[in-house]
Amino acid sequence: MEFKSEKLNNGLAVIGELNKSAKSAAVGFFVKTGSRDETGRISGVSHFLEHMLFKGTEKLSALEVNEAFDRTGAQFNAFTSEENTVYYAAVLPEYLEEVTRLWAELMRPALRDDDFTIEKNVIKEEIAMYKDLPNFDVMERCRTLHFDGHPCGNSVLGTEESIDNLTAEQMRDYFGTRYAPNNMVLACAGDFDWDRICSLAAESCGKWPHKAVERKLDHDEGSKKKERIGKANLVREHICLMSAGVSAQDPRRFAASLLGMIIGDDVGSRFFWELVDNAVAESATMQFGAMDGTGAFCSYIRCSSENVTRVLDTVGAVFDHLAQNGVTKEELRTAKNKLLSALVIKNELPMGRLVDLGFNWIYLQEYLTTEDEIDAIKTVAVDDVHSLIEQFDPRNFTQFCLGPARDNQ
Amino acid sequence: MEFKSEKLNNGLAVIGELNKSAKSAAVGFFVKTGSRDETGRISGVSHFLEHMLFKGTEKLSALEVNEAFDRTGAQFNAFTSEENTVYYAAVLPEYLEEVTRLWAELMRPALRDDDFTIEKNVIKEEIAMYKDLPNFDVMERCRTLHFDGHPCGNSVLGTEESIDNLTAEQMRDYFGTRYAPNNMVLACAGDFDWDRICSLAAESCGKWPHKAVERKLDHDEGSKKKERIGKANLVREHICLMSAGVSAQDPRRFAASLLGMIIGDDVGSRFFWELVDNAVAESATMQFGAMDGTGAFCSYIRCSSENVTRVLDTVGAVFDHLAQNGVTKEELRTAKNKLLSALVIKNELPMGRLVDLGFNWIYLQEYLTTEDEIDAIKTVAVDDVHSLIEQFDPRNFTQFCLGPARDNQ
């Protein structure tokens, strides 16, 4: 395993972890842009732009893009979050250069007016589809309520209205600064030739102009507001709770992930035993999410209307108990085992490894081996979790509920 | 990479592929039993039994099973198909023995009457849930129509009626023969200690009694019947087509997989260009499935009611063209790339490798390295695909449609 990094003159970071015993190779462009970098007027533009990159370049039609991926046999996709837009592919080693060159071409898209107009409908259908998923909807609404004006509360998809009003010109402007090479990382993992990737990067990306680009990084403690919305078609109560946590740059992020797992892993967590195993709730999970400069714990619970009070009382009791007694050695050990095996298994595949590699560079400009991360998890002590609970009391949460409409609504 | 195999006196096959550079290890019990080994009276028992294995043994309660998995940090699950019931887990290497011992214990379940009665409702809810998914329902109905009496047409889940009528005694009888050690394979992949797995297997599984157990292996050409059912709540037409193919034992299975991909891969296939890209159908895919002694090509197409005739005409034209002209070198090359990268990426992870390892032993009693499979795919020639089309003409298909109720229904 060998790590390499280089920076082009225009600021594009090129990094790679070589693993000659890997049977595949993965490549990704990590663009440090997402809904938190949008204003309300262009809400949803990052995600829309991700779609537009597949519509082709000045030289390639959408059809040719499709065929080009097909020829390499690539497993490829892209995703947009609040903070990042990531384009990735996994291939047999002999196709890595071809697929990297293809992605590099797509990073300078044509953004044609006609394609923009047609794709608007696809985006609006996606918004409508997600609005119909109460588990998704409640989390997004809770995030907006929790961050209450902080850009981390911005919606990734945007609204039907914001998409309707968006112009191709606004998208091209946004693209012009946010996709500047100095705001992107090109990462590779697995079995590949570093020198050839470097010359390919210089050749394909070296002329992209450097631009001034920034992001506001404020920590946010969350609004702690409580709200509920009723919807006629719902039969279950969907509850989302969010509270503040550490950032992606904070060394305590590993302790925070373990705490989230102890409280709300799918199976074997406090939520599991107190809420799911005894059928008080149908689902009850918590996850910690580290972000750029801030972070949050997010719980999702689904239950019947009759059980809402009991669920919230139980959650309160779980949080009180944690604030008073912390966690046990045994549950920390179990959480470590689960987190470690998930980490190791994901990172064993070049495609999985790529994601950690890229995000560590985006957030920390740092290379961490899988072993570094394993060590960081292993050394978390019960006391580390305690002081985290002390500083970020889980009882200080924002709450959003989505459930059946009541008579007074 | 080193392969090891051993057979216990009672017939249990123990196999392992050691990869000291792997960071994780995977283990699975492959039981050669599924819905095709059931009679109508006990339809659904294999899948129900899979659920019951998690309910514990004479020594372990369901809660203790849960906690035991949790402690190892395992990523674990099980699935039941027409032919196999598979229990698997991936862990850090230091937990492989613990999780293997746990699975071995669970392979001799208590099958308590109380648990059986409670779990019946879970199974019936699962049946109801899948019945609500037209894409699943149409495939299951088409399979039954295609195999028309051949046991490969048996439903994996069974019916509400068959589950209602099933007794715990019938399940215990079925278990007694089908879970005989001589009908099972214990497989490991990744980084583990072969000798210790062998002694563990001898100790934990050595006393399970050998039983006479068999399966009828007839090839089936399919009924080629055509049927349609209307349902009031549907707005789209769901079409499933099935035609005969080669078995899991047949060396031509690689050519058959490539043919399935050329005709109906998600992207870039003939169905994609003729039906999806031009919006005649919303979805149109074909996959080849090799089974024990037989095999089938299965297509799934979803479209609007107005487009059904056009879709079926287009499918007919695609099949006619194939029968007359075969496939091109270029499309075979693209299909190989896609199949190879999917194979290599899956097999790079011990968990993925385990599945191929176990199934190759179940079907062929043979060890094939990933490289053997890569070679087998690479050497498929255009002519091999042609002679496959000649023998298994795709035009000889069974057809089942599920769509909106019409006035006369």
Side-chain angles (χ1 to χ4, degrees), chain A residues 168-286:
Chain A
E169 202 44 47
Q170 285 173 318
M171 178 180 281
R172 287 188 283 259
D173 278 351
Y174 177 86
F175 171 81
T177 44
R178 302 302 308 181
Y179 278 60
N182 45 306
N183 203 38
M184 297 168 76
V185 175
L186 165 58
C188 295
D191 181 16
F192 64 94
D193 185 323
W194 170 250
D195 292 334
R196 295 181 70 151
I197 290 295
C198 281
S199 29
L200 189 160
E203 186 191 311
S204 302
C205 322
K207 292 196 181 124
W208 302 349
H210 181 286
K211 291 278 173 72
V213 52
E214 58 179 14
R215 167 182 287 173
K216 275 184 71 178
L217 285 187
D218 301 323
H219 172 64
D220 194 80
E221 280 297 316
S223 69
K224 293 145 203 148
K225 290 182 181 170
K226 318 278 186 235
E227 280 187 17
R228 182 182 189 276
I229 282 186
K231 274 192 172 180
N233 63 332
L234 292 181
V235 287
R236 287 285 183 270
E237 193 81 8
H238 301 261
I239 303 168
C240 183
L241 312 176
M242 283 186 82
S243 60
V246 299
S247 75
Q249 287 83 9
D250 194 310
R252 295 175 296 172
R253 65 191 182 277
F254 299 102
S257 292
L258 290 165
L259 176 58
M261 201 161 235
I262 289 169
I263 299 177
D265 192 34
D266 281 351
V267 177
S269 64
R270 296 211 179 181
F271 278 181
F272 176 80
W273 294 117
E274 301 295 329
L275 292 168
V276 179
D277 186 60
N278 56 16
V280 176
E282 295 166 4
S283 173
T285 56
M286 177 191 268

Side-chain angles (χ1 to χ4, degrees), chain A residues 53-312:
Chain A
L53 259 80
F54 292 92
K55 298 292 159 201
T57 66
E58 295 301 339
K59 282 187 199 157
L60 291 176
S61 69
L63 192 150
E64 287 163 331
V65 171
N66 214 316
E67 287 175 330
F69 275 117
D70 221 40
R71 270 195 304 274
T72 65
Q75 303 200 337
F76 69 101
N77 214 337
F79 62 86
T80 306
S81 71
E82 288 79 7
E83 312 206 309
N84 298 292
T85 311
V86 181
Y87 303 84
Y88 62 92
V91 286
L92 297 178
E94 57 265 41
Y95 288 103
L96 191 77
E97 286 163 56
E98 189 172 333
V99 83
T100 305
R101 184 168 289 115
L102 180 57
W103 274 133
E105 276 186 73
L106 299 187
M107 291 301 125
R108 299 296 113 173
L111 303 179
R112 286 176 274 261
D113 285 347
D114 287 359
D115 293 332
F116 178 84
T117 309
I118 294 168
E119 199 63 17
K120 254 194 187 184
N121 294 315
V122 175
I123 302 289
K124 279 155 65 181
E125 277 185 32
E126 198 172 333
I127 292 172
M129 187 189 79
Y130 276 107
K131 273 282 162 202
D132 271 352
L133 301 174
N135 57 336
F136 177 88
D137 195 27
V138 76
M139 305 253 265
E140 182 160 275
R141 286 170 188 265
C142 189
R143 172 177 281 271
T144 303
L145 184 66
H146 178 74
F147 283 105
D148 205 23
H150 183 288
C152 280
N154 295 352
S155 159
V156 172
L157 294 175
T159 63
E160 203 182 316
E161 202 195 341
S162 72
I163 297 301
D164 259 335
N165 292 334
L166 192 72
T167 67
E169 202 44 47
Q170 285 173 318
M171 178 180 281
R172 287 188 283 259
D173 278 351
Y174 177 86
F175 171 81
T177 44
R178 302 302 308 181
Y179 278 60
N182 45 306
N183 203 38
M184 297 168 76
V185 175
L186 165 58
C188 295
D191 181 16
F192 64 94
D193 185 323
W194 170 250
D195 292 334
R196 295 181 70 151
I197 290 295
C198 281
S199 29
L200 189 160
E203 186 191 311
S204 302
C205 322
K207 292 196 181 124
W208 302 349
H210 181 286
K211 291 278 173 72
V213 52
E214 58 179 14
R215 167 182 287 173
K216 275 184 71 178
L217 285 187
D218 301 323
H219 172 64
D220 194 80
E221 280 297 316
S223 69
K224 293 145 203 148
K225 290 182 181 170
K226 318 278 186 235
E227 280 187 17
R228 182 182 189 276
I229 282 186
K231 274 192 172 180
N233 63 332
L234 292 181
V235 287
R236 287 285 183 270
E237 193 81 8
H238 301 261
I239 303 168
C240 183
L241 312 176
M242 283 186 82
S243 60
V246 299
S247 75
Q249 287 83 9
D250 194 310
R252 295 175 296 172
R253 65 191 182 277
F254 299 102
S257 292
L258 290 165
L259 176 58
M261 201 161 235
I262 289 169
I263 299 177
D265 192 34
D266 281 351
V267 177
S269 64
R270 296 211 179 181
F271 278 181
F272 176 80
W273 294 117
E274 301 295 329
L275 292 168
V276 179
D277 186 60
N278 56 16
V280 176
E282 295 166 4
S283 173
T285 56
M286 177 191 268
Q287 277 184 321
F288 168 68
M291 289 172 275
D292 208 0
T294 188
F297 292 90
C298 182
S299 303
Y300 168 72
I301 305 171
R302 187 178 68 243
C303 65
S304 66
S305 297
E306 307 88 77
N307 281 0
V308 173
T309 309
R310 197 170 154 201
V311 161
L312 290 173

Side-chain angles (χ1 to χ4, degrees), chain B residues 28-293:
Chain B
F29 273 97
F30 292 73
V31 192
K32 193 174 171 172
T33 202
S35 53
R36 70 179 285 176
D37 305 300
E38 301 169 355
T39 57
R41 287 181 58 218
I42 56 165
S43 172
V45 70
S46 309
H47 169 255
F48 193 163
L49 185 52
E50 176 218 309
H51 279 234
M52 289 296 292
L53 259 80
F54 292 91
K55 298 291 159 201
T57 66
E58 294 303 338
K59 283 188 199 157
L60 292 176
S61 69
L63 190 151
E64 287 164 331
V65 170
N66 215 315
E67 288 176 329
F69 275 116
D70 221 39
R71 271 196 301 277
T72 65
Q75 304 202 336
F76 69 102
N77 214 337
F79 62 84
T80 307
S81 71
E82 288 81 8
E83 312 206 309
N84 298 291
T85 312
V86 181
Y87 303 85
Y88 62 91
V91 286
L92 297 179
E94 57 265 41
Y95 289 101
L96 191 77
E97 286 165 54
E98 189 173 333
V99 83
T100 304
R101 185 169 288 114
L102 179 58
W103 274 133
E105 276 186 74
L106 298 187
M107 291 299 126
R108 298 296 112 172
L111 302 179
R112 286 176 276 260
D113 285 348
D114 288 358
D115 293 333
F116 177 85
T117 308
I118 294 169
E119 199 64 17
K120 254 192 189 185
N121 294 315
V122 175
I123 302 289
K124 278 153 66 180
E125 277 185 32
E126 197 172 333
I127 292 172
M129 187 189 80
Y130 276 107
K131 272 281 162 205
D132 272 351
L133 301 175
N135 56 336
F136 177 88
D137 195 27
V138 76
M139 304 253 265
E140 183 161 273
R141 287 172 188 264
C142 189
R143 174 178 280 272
T144 303
L145 183 67
H146 177 74
F147 283 105
D148 204 24
H150 184 285
C152 281
N154 294 352
S155 160
V156 172
L157 294 174
T159 61
E160 202 182 319
E161 201 193 344
S162 71
I163 296 299
D164 259 335
N165 293 334
L166 192 73
T167 67
E169 202 45 46
Q170 285 173 317
M171 180 182 280
R172 287 188 282 260
D173 278 352
Y174 177 85
F175 171 81
T177 44
R178 301 302 309 182
Y179 277 60
N182 45 304
N183 203 39
M184 297 167 77
V185 175
L186 166 57
C188 295
D191 181 16
F192 64 94
D193 184 325
W194 169 250
D195 292 335
R196 295 180 71 150
I197 290 294
C198 282
S199 29
L200 189 162
E203 187 191 309
S204 302
C205 322
K207 292 195 179 125
W208 302 349
H210 181 284
K211 292 276 173 71
V213 50
E214 59 180 11
R215 167 183 287 172
K216 276 184 71 178
L217 287 187
D218 301 324
H219 172 65
D220 195 81
E221 280 296 317
S223 70
K224 292 147 205 146
K225 290 181 180 170
K226 317 276 186 239
E227 279 187 18
R228 183 182 189 276
I229 282 187
K231 275 191 173 183
N233 64 332
L234 293 180
V235 287
R236 285 286 183 270
E237 193 81 9
H238 300 261
I239 303 168
C240 183
L241 312 176
M242 284 186 81
S243 61
V246 299
S247 74
Q249 288 83 11
D250 193 310
R252 293 173 297 171
R253 64 190 182 279
F254 299 102
S257 291
L258 290 165
L259 176 57
M261 201 160 233
I262 289 169
I263 300 177
D265 192 33
D266 281 352
V267 177
S269 63
R270 296 211 179 183
F271 277 0
F272 176 80
W273 293 117
E274 301 295 329
L275 292 168
V276 179
D277 187 60
N278 56 16
V280 176
E282 295 166 4
S283 173
T285 58
M286 176 190 269
Q287 278 185 317
F288 168 67
M291 290 172 275
D292 208 359

